[in-house]
């Protein structure tokens, strides 16, 4: 049987060692707290998952998954991880600063992935910030502030206000009993039912909302906007899609819907009192409401419906405008 030369054997052993199975190192801490406190997490990397329980405790788990590199390299890298988990009254604060990792063209340099899994009381506030991961909160009764530079934001049933900002992902909200501010530079925004005002902005995706009991501001440069039900005013603009908005009540203030690359569809209650200002350069205007002005070229309409009221400003350069009754 042929044997490998000693130098080749040592090289093969080194390669196998550098691609060894992942090593998991977990840090866990638990604190007794009362409802109404705040969990604050600030990390320069890692995903954050927060769940609520009936217990009066905050349980923090920091999962550090290391792979590639030798045991000594991984141990050194983990040893440089600056991690503090502390309690002050009913508040719990987590600070994490992980050293910048060096990457080899051979892909053999050690890599560590961080995940923060935290359980908090049902009535608790969240202040979450990471520079390199997603943030998930299935359910909480409290205010949620979340910021990430490199991941998605996902919220379930939130009783309280939401501030969500990401530079590299999408935002989804199942429901919220409070004010919502959702901003992303690289993804879509999907919002369910909200009892409060909504401000949403994205540079690279669509915006959709199920039902908003409040006012809406929606802006996108790269997708359509769809609002299936709103009780307040709407200001919506897009450069790359259509706009659809359904008003469930009389709009309390002026509304503006503008797009450069699609159609506009507005549905109003039959008794809505509005002053219509509609213009299109690349389509036609249709309305189910009786208007005083005849649509001669079907491209411009300035008229009152039901005696007039707040302004409904509609403008598109690339599609039709349709105003219909619910």
């Amino acid at each position: 049987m042929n044997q490998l030369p000693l130098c080749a054997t040592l090289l093969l052993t080194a390669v196998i060692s550098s691609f060894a199975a992942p090593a998991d190192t977990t840090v866990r801490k638990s604190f007794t707290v009362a409802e109404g406190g705040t969990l604050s997490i600030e990390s320069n990397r890692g995903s954050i998952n927060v769940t609520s329980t009936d217990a009066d405790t905050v349980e923090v788990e920091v999962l550090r998954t290391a792979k590639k590199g030798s045991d000594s390299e991984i141990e050194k890298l983990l040893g440089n991880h600056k991690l503090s988990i502390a309690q002050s009254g009913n508040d719990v604060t987590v600070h994490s600063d992980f050293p910048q990792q060096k990457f080899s063209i051979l892909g053999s340099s050690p890599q560590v992935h961080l995940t923060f899994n935290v359980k908090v009381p049902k009535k608790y506030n969240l202040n979450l910030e990471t520079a390199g991961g997603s943030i998930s909160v299935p359910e909480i009764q409290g205010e949620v502030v979340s910021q990430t530079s490199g991941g998605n934001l996902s919220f379930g049933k939130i009783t309280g206000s939401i501030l969500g900002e990401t530079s590299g992902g999408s935002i989804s909200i199942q429901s919220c009993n409070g004010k919502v501010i959702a901003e992303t530079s690289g993804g879509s925004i999907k919002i369910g039912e909200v009892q409060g005002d909504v401000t949403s902005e994205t540079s690279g995706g669509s915006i959709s909302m199920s039902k908003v009991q409040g006012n809406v501001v929606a802006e996108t440069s790269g997708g359509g906007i769809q609002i299936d039900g709103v009780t307040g005013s709407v200001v919506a603009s897009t450069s790359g899609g259509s706009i659809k908005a359904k008003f469930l009540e009389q709009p309390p203030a002026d509304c503006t819907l503008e797009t450069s690359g699609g159609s506009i569809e507005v549905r109003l209650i039959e008794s809505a009192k509005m002053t219509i200002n509609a213009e299109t350069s690349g389509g036609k205007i249709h309305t189910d409401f009786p208007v005083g002005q005849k649509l001669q070229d079907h491209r411009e309409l300035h008229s009152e419906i039901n005696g007039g009221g707040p302004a409904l400003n509609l403008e598109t350069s690339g599609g039709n405008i349709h105003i219909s009754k619910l």
Side-chain angles (χ1 to χ4, degrees), residues 3 20 31 38 48 55 62 108 113 134 136 156 159 165 175 181 201 226 234 243 254 283-284 308-309 321:
Q3 293 184 347
F31 306 92
T38 300
I48 302 173
V62 184
S108 59
H113 299 279
S134 60
S136 173
T159 305
E165 297 179 352
S175 65
I181 298 176
E201 183 177 351
Q226 182 165 336
V234 172
I243 301 177
D254 294 350
K284 295 182 178 181
I321 297 176

Side-chain angles (χ1 to χ4, degrees), residues 170-183:
S170 61
I171 300 175
S172 65
I173 301 172
Q174 182 179 349
S175 65
C176 177
N177 186 0
K179 182 179 180 179
V180 171
I181 298 176
E183 299 179 355

Side-chain angles (χ1 to χ4, degrees), residues 117-134:
N117 298 316
V118 188
K119 295 180 180 179
V120 300
K122 285 186 175 180
K123 295 182 179 179
Y124 217 67
N125 302 304
L126 305 176
N127 190 344
L128 314 173
E129 182 177 353
T130 176
S134 60

Side-chain angles (χ1 to χ4, degrees), residues 4 7 98 102 155 160 209 280:
L4 289 172
C7 60
F98 205 89
K102 297 179 180 179
F155 306 102
M209 305 179 195
T280 175

